[in-house]
Amino acid sequence: MARLSWGMIGGGDGSQIGPAHRLAAAVDGAFEFTAGALDHRPDAGRAFGRALGLRPDRAYGSWQEMLEGETHRPDRCDLVTVATPNATHFPIARAFLKAGFHVLCEKPMTMSVEEGEEIVRLARETGRICAVNYGYTGYALVRQMRAMVTRGDLGRIRLVVAEFAHGHHADAADADNPRVRWRYDPAQAGVSAQFADCGIHALHMASFVTGQEVESLSADIVSCIESRVLEDDAQVNFRMTGGTVGRLWTSSVAIGRQHGLTIQVFGEKGGLRWAQEQPNQLYWMPLGRRLEVIERGEAGLYPEAARASRVTVGHAEGMPLAFANIYRDLAEAIRARSEDRAPDPAADLFPRAEDGLRSMAAVYAVAESGRDAGRWVDARPPMFR
């Protein structure tokens, strides 16, 4: 089967996220890296693109140059990944969607709810895919959790508890470090810092696993380092469409926590617990029975999880392979559209523009509630109310 053509914007030399995307897109052989505008410095972007094997005419100096160069090519990109600074996601994603490209956008998809609604409408009008890289949903056992909830193994879901806490911004002496400072500056980060950066991963995970959306929330936000304008810790209570109660904690000052993304789901017939730092085990406690440990890669997983497991049981499988499952889903979706067929249901799990929009609405709701002593507010974007 011919490989799909893939292009990337951002993710240049020294980027944290760029290598993960390039590894993920290549794992299954579904995509060929054919085009890129990898740096905001044109010469550096072109040079790095060529160093990665791009042809000189497809190693672009800017995203605008890439848009112009790719739009009328007969072999143009089937998918474009946007991995640039947050404030640029919206104009780039909008331009490529308008030109008829499928897009995978890093989170946050936009910087405002209004921009998010425009992206959702544009994706629907053009019939193009706009996916959002909530890449942790690509982990095999997160998909096993979702499948168990969907099939009723837990019964009605009563409670979901999500966390994403780390301590990497806990040093007050680091407050003027430019790599840290911008995250707490409203002019660069918007209305929220820690919740917008990490909390929305945990909130989206709660929706992904339960199959429910957040309707309303109450937030307590604080800047533990007083010089910060935006929050570095947040506690959020929320209510979901199926009646599930949610609790979420996110922090950047939790010394001793490294990458503390965890999720627990409690239903009438059992509970599940998973942690991103130990992704190969899912803890399942059926009501009235002993604790069971479900291992990634073992026999008997639901198809959604079995499809997402690439390495044999007992071996580590990490974040780039979780991202790779998002790319694998997108390859299946793009091919299904071109072949006028339904995609494999076990692969139809990538986060959509609608998820990116809901996340941005939640960011603004948390900021509003936090300013008003935790008042409960509507967390839905206006177009979904």
Coordinates of all heavy atoms in Angstrom, one line a residue, residues 185-278:
D185 N 2.5 34.3 31.9 CA 2.3 35.6 31.4 C 1.1 35.7 30.5 O 1.0 35.1 29.5 CB 3.5 36.1 30.6 CG 3.4 37.5 30.0 OD1 2.4 38.1 30.2 OD2 4.3 37.9 29.2
P186 N 0.0 36.4 30.9 CA -1.2 36.4 30.1 C -1.0 36.9 28.7 O -1.7 36.4 27.8 CB -2.1 37.4 30.9 CG -1.6 37.4 32.3 CD -0.1 37.2 32.2
A187 N 0.0 37.7 28.5 CA 0.2 38.2 27.1 C 0.6 37.1 26.2 O 0.4 37.2 25.0 CB 1.2 39.4 27.1
Q188 N 1.3 36.1 26.7 CA 1.8 35.0 25.9 C 1.0 33.7 26.1 O 0.9 32.9 25.1 CB 3.2 34.7 26.2 CG 4.2 35.9 25.9 CD 5.6 35.6 26.3 OE1 6.3 34.8 25.6 NE2 6.1 36.2 27.4
A189 N 0.5 33.5 27.3 CA -0.2 32.2 27.6 C -1.7 32.3 27.5 O -2.4 31.2 27.5 CB 0.3 31.7 28.9
G190 N -2.3 33.5 27.6 CA -3.7 33.6 27.6 C -4.3 33.7 29.0 O -3.6 34.3 29.9
V191 N -5.4 33.1 29.2 CA -6.1 33.3 30.5 C -5.7 32.3 31.5 O -6.1 32.4 32.7 CB -7.7 33.3 30.3 CG1 -8.1 34.4 29.4 CG2 -8.1 31.9 29.8
S192 N -5.0 31.3 31.2 CA -4.6 30.2 32.1 C -3.2 29.7 31.8 O -2.8 29.7 30.7 CB -5.6 29.1 31.9 OG -5.2 27.9 32.6
A193 N -2.6 29.2 32.9 CA -1.2 28.6 32.7 C -1.3 27.1 32.9 O -1.4 26.4 31.9 CB -0.3 29.3 33.7
Q194 N -1.3 26.7 34.1 CA -1.1 25.2 34.4 C -2.3 24.4 33.9 O -2.2 23.3 33.3 CB -0.9 25.0 35.9 CG -0.8 23.5 36.3 CD 0.3 22.8 35.6 OE1 1.3 23.4 35.1 NE2 0.2 21.4 35.5
F195 N -3.5 25.0 34.1 CA -4.7 24.2 33.6 C -4.7 24.1 32.1 O -4.9 23.0 31.5 CB -6.0 24.8 34.0 CG -7.2 24.0 33.6 CD1 -7.5 22.8 34.3 CD2 -7.9 24.3 32.5 CE1 -8.6 22.0 33.9 CE2 -9.0 23.5 32.1 CZ -9.3 22.4 32.8
A196 N -4.4 25.2 31.4 CA -4.3 25.2 29.9 C -3.2 24.3 29.4 O -3.3 23.7 28.3 CB -4.2 26.6 29.4
D197 N -2.1 24.2 30.2 CA -0.9 23.4 29.7 C -1.1 21.9 30.0 O -1.0 21.1 29.1 CB 0.3 23.9 30.4 CG 1.6 23.3 29.9 OD1 1.6 22.9 28.7 OD2 2.6 23.2 30.6
C198 N -1.5 21.6 31.2 CA -1.6 20.2 31.6 C -3.0 19.7 32.0 O -3.4 18.6 31.7 CB -0.6 19.9 32.8 SG 1.1 20.1 32.4
G199 N -3.7 20.6 32.6 CA -5.0 20.2 33.1 C -6.0 19.7 32.0 O -6.8 18.8 32.2
I200 N -5.9 20.4 30.8 CA -6.8 20.0 29.7 C -6.5 18.6 29.2 O -7.4 17.9 28.7 CB -6.9 21.0 28.6 CG1 -5.5 21.2 28.0 CG2 -7.5 22.3 29.1 CD1 -5.6 22.1 26.7
H201 N -5.2 18.1 29.4 CA -4.9 16.7 29.0 C -5.7 15.8 29.9 O -6.3 14.8 29.5 CB -3.4 16.4 29.2 CG -2.6 16.8 28.0 ND1 -2.8 16.2 26.8 CD2 -1.6 17.7 27.8 CE1 -1.9 16.7 25.9 NE2 -1.2 17.6 26.5
A202 N -5.7 16.1 31.2 CA -6.4 15.2 32.2 C -7.9 15.3 32.0 O -8.6 14.3 32.1 CB -6.1 15.6 33.6
L203 N -8.4 16.5 31.7 CA -9.9 16.7 31.5 C -10.3 15.9 30.2 O -11.3 15.3 30.2 CB -10.2 18.2 31.4 CG -11.7 18.5 31.5 CD1 -12.2 18.2 32.9 CD2 -12.0 19.9 31.1
H204 N -9.5 16.1 29.1 CA -9.9 15.4 27.9 C -9.8 13.8 28.1 O -10.6 13.1 27.6 CB -8.9 15.7 26.7 CG -9.2 15.0 25.5 ND1 -8.5 13.9 25.1 CD2 -10.2 15.1 24.6 CE1 -9.0 13.3 24.0 NE2 -10.1 14.1 23.7
M205 N -8.8 13.4 28.9 CA -8.7 12.0 29.2 C -10.0 11.5 29.9 O -10.5 10.4 29.6 CB -7.5 11.7 30.1 CG -7.2 10.2 30.3 SD -6.4 9.4 28.9 CE -4.7 9.9 29.2
A206 N -10.5 12.3 30.8 CA -11.8 11.9 31.5 C -12.9 11.7 30.5 O -13.7 10.8 30.6 CB -12.1 12.9 32.6
S207 N -13.0 12.7 29.6 CA -14.1 12.6 28.6 C -13.8 11.4 27.6 O -14.8 10.7 27.3 CB -14.2 13.9 27.8 OG -14.7 14.9 28.6
F208 N -12.6 11.2 27.2 CA -12.3 10.1 26.3 C -12.6 8.7 26.9 O -13.2 7.9 26.2 CB -10.8 10.2 26.0 CG -10.3 9.1 25.0 CD1 -10.5 9.2 23.6 CD2 -9.7 7.9 25.5 CE1 -10.1 8.2 22.8 CE2 -9.3 6.9 24.6 CZ -9.5 7.1 23.2
V209 N -12.3 8.5 28.1 CA -12.5 7.2 28.8 C -13.9 7.0 29.1 O -14.5 5.9 28.9 CB -11.6 7.1 30.0 CG1 -12.0 5.9 30.8 CG2 -10.1 7.0 29.6
T210 N -14.6 8.0 29.6 CA -16.0 7.8 30.0 C -17.0 8.0 28.8 O -18.2 7.5 28.9 CB -16.4 8.8 31.1 OG1 -16.4 10.2 30.5 CG2 -15.5 8.7 32.3
G211 N -16.6 8.6 27.7 CA -17.5 8.9 26.6 C -18.5 10.0 27.0 O -19.6 10.1 26.3
Q212 N -18.2 10.8 28.0 CA -19.1 11.9 28.4 C -18.4 13.2 28.3 O -17.1 13.3 28.3 CB -19.6 11.7 29.8 CG -20.3 10.4 30.1 CD -20.7 10.3 31.6 OE1 -21.1 11.2 32.2 NE2 -20.6 9.0 32.1
E213 N -19.1 14.3 28.1 CA -18.6 15.6 28.0 C -18.8 16.4 29.3 O -19.8 16.1 30.0 CB -19.2 16.4 26.8 CG -19.0 15.7 25.5 CD -17.5 15.4 25.1 OE1 -16.7 16.1 25.6 OE2 -17.3 14.5 24.3
V214 N -17.9 17.3 29.5 CA -18.1 18.2 30.7 C -19.1 19.2 30.5 O -19.1 20.0 29.5 CB -16.7 18.8 31.1 CG1 -16.8 19.8 32.3 CG2 -15.7 17.8 31.4
E215 N -20.1 19.3 31.4 CA -21.1 20.3 31.2 C -20.9 21.6 32.1 O -21.1 22.7 31.6 CB -22.5 19.7 31.6 CG -23.0 18.8 30.6 CD -24.5 18.4 30.9 OE1 -24.8 18.1 32.1 OE2 -25.3 18.3 30.0
S216 N -20.5 21.4 33.3 CA -20.3 22.5 34.2 C -19.1 22.2 35.2 O -18.7 21.1 35.4 CB -21.5 22.8 35.1 OG -21.9 21.7 35.8
L217 N -18.5 23.3 35.7 CA -17.4 23.1 36.6 C -17.3 24.2 37.6 O -17.8 25.3 37.5 CB -16.1 22.9 35.8 CG -15.6 24.1 34.9 CD1 -15.0 25.2 35.7 CD2 -14.7 23.6 33.8
S218 N -16.5 23.9 38.7 CA -16.1 24.8 39.7 C -14.7 24.7 40.0 O -14.2 23.6 40.2 CB -16.9 24.5 41.0 OG -16.4 25.3 42.1
A219 N -13.9 25.8 40.0 CA -12.5 25.8 40.0 C -11.9 26.6 41.2 O -12.4 27.7 41.5 CB -11.9 26.3 38.7
D220 N -10.9 26.1 41.8 CA -10.1 26.8 42.8 C -8.7 26.9 42.2 O -8.0 25.9 42.1 CB -10.1 26.1 44.2 CG -9.2 26.8 45.2 OD1 -9.0 28.0 45.0 OD2 -8.8 26.2 46.2
I221 N -8.3 28.1 41.8 CA -7.0 28.3 41.2 C -6.1 29.2 42.1 O -6.6 30.1 42.8 CB -7.1 28.9 39.8 CG1 -7.8 30.2 39.8 CG2 -7.8 27.9 38.9 CD1 -7.8 30.9 38.4
V222 N -4.8 28.9 42.1 CA -3.9 29.7 42.9 C -2.5 29.8 42.3 O -2.1 28.9 41.5 CB -3.8 29.0 44.3 CG1 -3.1 27.7 44.2 CG2 -3.0 29.9 45.3
S223 N -1.9 30.9 42.5 CA -0.4 31.1 42.2 C 0.3 30.9 43.4 O 0.5 31.8 44.3 CB -0.2 32.5 41.6 OG -0.9 32.7 40.4
C224 N 0.9 29.7 43.6 CA 1.6 29.4 44.8 C 2.9 30.2 44.9 O 3.4 30.6 46.0 CB 2.0 27.9 44.9 SG 0.5 26.9 45.2
I225 N 3.5 30.5 43.7 CA 4.6 31.4 43.6 C 4.0 32.8 43.3 O 3.4 33.0 42.2 CB 5.6 31.0 42.6 CG1 6.3 29.7 43.0 CG2 6.7 32.1 42.3 CD1 7.3 29.1 42.1
E226 N 4.0 33.7 44.3 CA 3.2 34.9 44.3 C 3.5 35.8 43.1 O 2.6 36.6 42.7 CB 3.3 35.6 45.6 CG 2.7 34.8 46.8 CD 2.9 35.5 48.1 OE1 3.5 36.6 48.1 OE2 2.4 34.9 49.1
S227 N 4.7 35.8 42.6 CA 5.0 36.7 41.5 C 4.3 36.3 40.2 O 4.3 37.1 39.2 CB 6.5 36.7 41.3 OG 7.0 35.4 40.9
R228 N 3.7 35.2 40.1 CA 3.0 34.7 38.9 C 1.6 35.3 38.8 O 0.9 35.3 39.8 CB 3.0 33.2 38.9 CG 4.3 32.5 38.6 CD 4.3 31.0 38.8 NE 5.6 30.5 38.5 CZ 6.0 29.3 38.8 NH1 5.2 28.4 39.4 NH2 7.2 28.9 38.5
V229 N 1.3 35.8 37.6 CA 0.0 36.3 37.4 C -1.0 35.2 37.2 O -2.1 35.2 37.7 CB 0.0 37.2 36.1 CG1 -1.4 37.8 35.8 CG2 1.0 38.4 36.3
L230 N -0.6 34.2 36.4 CA -1.5 33.0 36.2 C -1.2 31.9 37.1 O -0.2 31.8 37.7 CB -1.4 32.6 34.7 CG -1.7 33.6 33.6 CD1 -1.4 33.0 32.3 CD2 -3.2 34.0 33.8
E231 N -2.2 31.0 37.2 CA -2.1 29.9 38.2 C -1.0 28.9 38.0 O -0.7 28.6 36.8 CB -3.5 29.2 38.3 CG -3.8 28.1 37.4 CD -4.0 28.5 35.9 OE1 -4.1 29.7 35.6 OE2 -3.9 27.6 35.0
D232 N -0.5 28.3 39.1 CA 0.4 27.2 38.9 C -0.2 26.0 39.6 O 0.5 24.9 39.7 CB 1.8 27.5 39.5 CG 1.8 28.1 40.8 OD1 0.9 27.9 41.6 OD2 2.8 28.8 41.2
D233 N -1.4 26.1 40.1 CA -2.1 24.9 40.8 C -3.6 25.2 40.6 O -4.1 26.3 40.8 CB -1.7 24.8 42.3 CG -2.2 23.6 42.9 OD1 -3.4 23.6 43.3 OD2 -1.5 22.6 43.0
A234 N -4.3 24.1 40.3 CA -5.8 24.2 40.2 C -6.5 22.9 40.6 O -6.0 21.8 40.4 CB -6.2 24.5 38.7
Q235 N -7.6 23.1 41.3 CA -8.4 22.0 41.7 C -9.8 22.3 41.0 O -10.4 23.3 41.2 CB -8.6 21.9 43.2 CG -9.5 20.7 43.7 CD -8.7 19.4 43.7 OE1 -7.5 19.4 44.0 NE2 -9.4 18.3 43.3
V236 N -10.3 21.3 40.3 CA -11.5 21.5 39.5 C -12.5 20.4 39.7 O -12.2 19.2 39.6 CB -11.2 21.6 38.0 CG1 -12.5 21.9 37.2 CG2 -10.1 22.7 37.7
N237 N -13.7 20.8 40.2 CA -14.8 19.8 40.2 C -15.7 20.0 39.0 O -15.9 21.1 38.5 CB -15.6 20.1 41.5 CG -14.9 19.8 42.8 OD1 -14.2 18.8 42.9 ND2 -15.0 20.7 43.7
F238 N -16.2 18.9 38.4 CA -17.0 19.0 37.2 C -18.1 18.0 37.2 O -18.0 17.0 37.9 CB -16.1 19.0 36.0 CG -15.2 17.8 35.8 CD1 -15.7 16.7 35.1 CD2 -14.0 17.7 36.4 CE1 -14.9 15.5 34.9 CE2 -13.2 16.6 36.2 CZ -13.6 15.5 35.5
R239 N -19.1 18.3 36.4 CA -20.2 17.4 36.2 C -20.3 17.1 34.7 O -20.1 18.0 33.8 CB -21.5 18.0 36.6 CG -21.6 18.4 38.1 CD -21.7 17.2 39.0 NE -22.0 17.5 40.4 CZ -21.0 17.7 41.3 NH1 -19.8 17.6 40.9 NH2 -21.3 18.0 42.5
M240 N -20.6 15.8 34.4 CA -20.6 15.3 33.0 C -21.9 15.0 32.5 O -22.9 14.9 33.2 CB -19.6 14.1 32.9 CG -18.2 14.4 33.4 SD -17.0 13.1 33.2 CE -16.5 13.5 31.5
T241 N -22.0 14.9 31.1 CA -23.3 14.7 30.5 C -24.1 13.4 30.9 O -25.3 13.4 30.9 CB -23.2 14.7 29.0 OG1 -22.1 13.7 28.6 CG2 -22.8 16.0 28.4
G242 N -23.4 12.4 31.3 CA -24.1 11.2 31.8 C -24.3 11.1 33.2 O -24.7 10.0 33.8
G243 N -24.1 12.2 33.9 CA -24.3 12.2 35.4 C -23.1 11.9 36.2 O -23.2 11.9 37.4
T244 N -22.0 11.7 35.6 CA -20.8 11.3 36.3 C -20.2 12.6 37.0 O -20.2 13.7 36.4 CB -19.7 10.7 35.3 OG1 -20.2 9.5 34.8 CG2 -18.4 10.5 36.0
V245 N -19.7 12.4 38.2 CA -19.0 13.5 38.9 C -17.5 13.4 38.7 O -16.9 12.3 38.6 CB -19.3 13.3 40.5 CG1 -18.4 14.3 41.3 CG2 -20.8 13.4 40.8
G246 N -16.9 14.5 38.5 CA -15.4 14.6 38.2 C -14.7 15.4 39.2 O -15.1 16.4 39.7
R247 N -13.4 14.9 39.4 CA -12.5 15.7 40.3 C -11.1 15.7 39.5 O -10.7 14.7 39.0 CB -12.2 15.0 41.6 CG -13.5 14.6 42.3 CD -14.2 15.7 43.0 NE -15.3 15.3 43.9 CZ -16.5 15.8 43.8 NH1 -16.8 16.7 42.9 NH2 -17.4 15.4 44.6
L248 N -10.5 16.9 39.5 CA -9.3 17.1 38.7 C -8.3 18.0 39.5 O -8.7 19.0 40.0 CB -9.5 17.7 37.3 CG -8.4 17.8 36.4 CD1 -8.9 17.8 34.9 CD2 -7.6 19.1 36.6
W249 N -7.1 17.5 39.6 CA -6.0 18.3 40.2 C -4.9 18.4 39.2 O -4.4 17.4 38.7 CB -5.5 17.7 41.5 CG -4.3 18.4 42.1 CD1 -4.1 19.7 42.3 CD2 -3.1 17.8 42.5 NE1 -2.9 20.0 42.8 CE2 -2.2 18.8 42.9 CE3 -2.6 16.5 42.5 CZ2 -0.9 18.5 43.4 CZ3 -1.3 16.2 42.9 CH2 -0.5 17.2 43.4
T250 N -4.4 19.6 39.0 CA -3.2 19.9 38.2 C -2.3 20.9 38.9 O -2.8 21.8 39.5 CB -3.6 20.3 36.8 OG1 -2.5 20.4 36.0 CG2 -4.3 21.7 36.8
S251 N -1.0 20.7 38.8 CA -0.1 21.5 39.5 C 1.3 21.5 38.8 O 1.7 20.5 38.2 CB 0.1 21.1 40.9 OG 1.0 21.9 41.6
S252 N 2.0 22.6 38.9 CA 3.4 22.6 38.4 C 4.4 22.9 39.6 O 5.6 23.1 39.3 CB 3.6 23.8 37.4 OG 3.4 25.0 37.9
V253 N 3.9 22.8 40.8 CA 4.7 23.1 42.0 C 4.7 21.9 42.9 O 5.1 22.0 44.1 CB 4.3 24.3 42.7 CG1 4.5 25.6 41.9 CG2 2.8 24.2 43.2
A254 N 4.3 20.7 42.4 CA 4.2 19.5 43.2 C 5.6 18.8 43.2 O 5.8 17.8 42.4 CB 3.1 18.6 42.7
I255 N 6.5 19.2 44.0 CA 7.8 18.7 44.1 C 7.8 17.2 44.4 O 7.1 16.8 45.3 CB 8.7 19.4 45.1 CG1 8.8 20.9 44.7 CG2 10.1 18.8 45.2 CD1 9.5 21.8 45.8
G256 N 8.5 16.4 43.6 CA 8.5 15.0 43.7 C 7.6 14.3 42.6 O 7.8 13.1 42.4
R257 N 6.7 15.0 42.0 CA 6.0 14.5 40.9 C 6.7 14.8 39.6 O 7.2 16.0 39.4 CB 4.6 15.1 40.9 CG 3.7 14.8 42.1 CD 3.3 13.3 42.2 NE 2.3 13.0 41.2 CZ 1.0 13.0 41.3 NH1 0.5 13.3 42.5 NH2 0.2 12.6 40.4
Q258 N 6.8 13.9 38.7 CA 7.6 14.1 37.5 C 6.6 14.4 36.3 O 6.7 15.4 35.7 CB 8.4 12.9 37.2 CG 9.5 12.6 38.2 CD 10.5 13.7 38.3 OE1 10.8 14.4 37.3 NE2 11.0 14.0 39.5
H259 N 5.7 13.5 36.0 CA 4.8 13.6 34.9 C 3.5 12.9 35.3 O 3.1 11.9 34.7 CB 5.4 13.0 33.6 CG 4.7 13.4 32.4 ND1 3.6 12.8 31.8 CD2 5.0 14.5 31.5 CE1 3.2 13.4 30.7 NE2 4.0 14.4 30.5
G260 N 2.9 13.5 36.3 CA 1.9 12.8 37.0 C 0.5 12.8 36.4 O -0.5 13.3 37.0
L261 N 0.4 12.2 35.2 CA -0.9 12.1 34.5 C -1.5 10.7 35.0 O -1.0 9.7 34.6 CB -0.8 12.1 33.0 CG -2.0 11.9 32.2 CD1 -3.1 12.9 32.5 CD2 -1.7 12.0 30.7
T262 N -2.6 10.8 35.7 CA -3.3 9.6 36.2 C -4.8 9.7 36.0 O -5.3 10.8 36.0 CB -3.0 9.3 37.7 OG1 -3.5 10.3 38.5 CG2 -1.5 9.2 37.9
I263 N -5.4 8.6 35.9 CA -6.9 8.6 35.8 C -7.5 7.4 36.5 O -7.0 6.3 36.4 CB -7.4 8.7 34.3 CG1 -8.9 8.9 34.3 CG2 -6.9 7.5 33.5 CD1 -9.5 9.4 33.0
Q264 N -8.5 7.7 37.2 CA -9.3 6.6 37.9 C -10.8 6.8 37.6 O -11.3 7.9 37.5 CB -9.1 6.7 39.5 CG -7.7 6.6 39.9 CD -7.5 6.9 41.4 OE1 -7.7 6.0 42.2 NE2 -7.1 8.1 41.7
V265 N -11.4 5.6 37.3 CA -12.8 5.6 36.9 C -13.5 4.6 37.8 O -13.1 3.5 38.0 CB -13.0 5.2 35.5 CG1 -14.5 5.3 35.1 CG2 -12.2 6.1 34.6
F266 N -14.6 5.1 38.5 CA -15.3 4.2 39.4 C -16.8 4.1 39.0 O -17.5 5.1 38.8 CB -15.3 4.9 40.8 CG -13.9 5.1 41.3 CD1 -13.3 6.4 41.3 CD2 -13.1 4.1 41.8 CE1 -12.0 6.6 41.7 CE2 -11.8 4.3 42.2 CZ -11.2 5.6 42.2
G267 N -17.2 2.9 38.8 CA -18.6 2.6 38.4 C -19.3 1.7 39.4 O -18.8 1.4 40.4
E268 N -20.5 1.3 39.0 CA -21.4 0.5 39.9 C -20.8 -0.9 40.1 O -20.9 -1.5 41.2 CB -22.7 0.3 39.3 CG -23.5 1.6 39.1 CD -24.8 1.4 38.3 OE1 -24.7 0.7 37.3 OE2 -25.9 1.9 38.7
K269 N -20.0 -1.4 39.1 CA -19.6 -2.8 39.2 C -18.0 -2.9 39.3 O -17.5 -4.0 39.2 CB -20.1 -3.5 37.9 CG -21.6 -3.6 37.8 CD -22.0 -4.6 36.7 CE -21.7 -4.1 35.4 NZ -22.3 -5.0 34.3
G270 N -17.3 -1.8 39.4 CA -15.9 -1.9 39.5 C -15.2 -0.6 39.3 O -15.8 0.4 38.9
G271 N -13.9 -0.6 39.5 CA -13.1 0.6 39.3 C -11.8 0.3 38.5 O -11.3 -0.8 38.5
L272 N -11.3 1.3 37.8 CA -10.0 1.2 37.0 C -9.1 2.3 37.4 O -9.5 3.5 37.8 CB -10.4 1.4 35.5 CG -11.1 0.3 34.9 CD1 -11.7 0.7 33.5 CD2 -10.2 -1.0 34.7
R273 N -7.8 2.0 37.4 CA -6.7 3.0 37.7 C -5.6 2.8 36.7 O -5.1 1.7 36.5 CB -6.3 2.9 39.1 CG -5.1 3.8 39.5 CD -4.9 3.8 41.0 NE -4.7 2.5 41.6 CZ -3.6 1.9 41.7 NH1 -2.4 2.5 41.3 NH2 -3.5 0.7 42.3
W274 N -5.1 4.0 36.1 CA -4.0 3.9 35.2 C -3.1 5.2 35.4 O -3.6 6.3 35.7 CB -4.5 3.9 33.7 CG -3.4 3.9 32.7 CD1 -2.7 2.8 32.2 CD2 -2.9 5.0 32.0 NE1 -1.8 3.2 31.2 CE2 -1.9 4.5 31.1 CE3 -3.1 6.4 32.0 CZ2 -1.2 5.4 30.2 CZ3 -2.4 7.2 31.2 CH2 -1.5 6.7 30.3
A275 N -1.8 5.0 35.3 CA -0.9 6.1 35.4 C 0.1 6.1 34.2 O 0.6 5.1 33.8 CB -0.1 6.0 36.7
Q276 N 0.3 7.3 33.6 CA 1.1 7.4 32.4 C 2.6 7.0 32.7 O 3.2 6.6 31.7 CB 1.0 8.9 31.9 CG 1.6 9.0 30.5 CD 3.0 9.5 30.5 OE1 3.5 10.1 31.5 NE2 3.7 9.3 29.4
E277 N 3.0 7.2 33.9 CA 4.4 6.8 34.1 C 4.6 5.3 34.3 O 5.8 4.8 34.2 CB 4.9 7.6 35.4 CG 5.1 9.1 35.2 CD 5.6 9.8 36.4 OE1 5.3 9.3 37.5 OE2 6.3 10.8 36.2
Q278 N 3.5 4.6 34.5 CA 3.6 3.1 34.5 C 2.5 2.6 33.5 O 1.5 2.0 33.9 CB 3.3 2.5 35.9 CG 4.4 2.8 36.9 CD 4.3 4.2 37.5 OE1 3.2 4.7 37.8 NE2 5.4 4.9 37.8

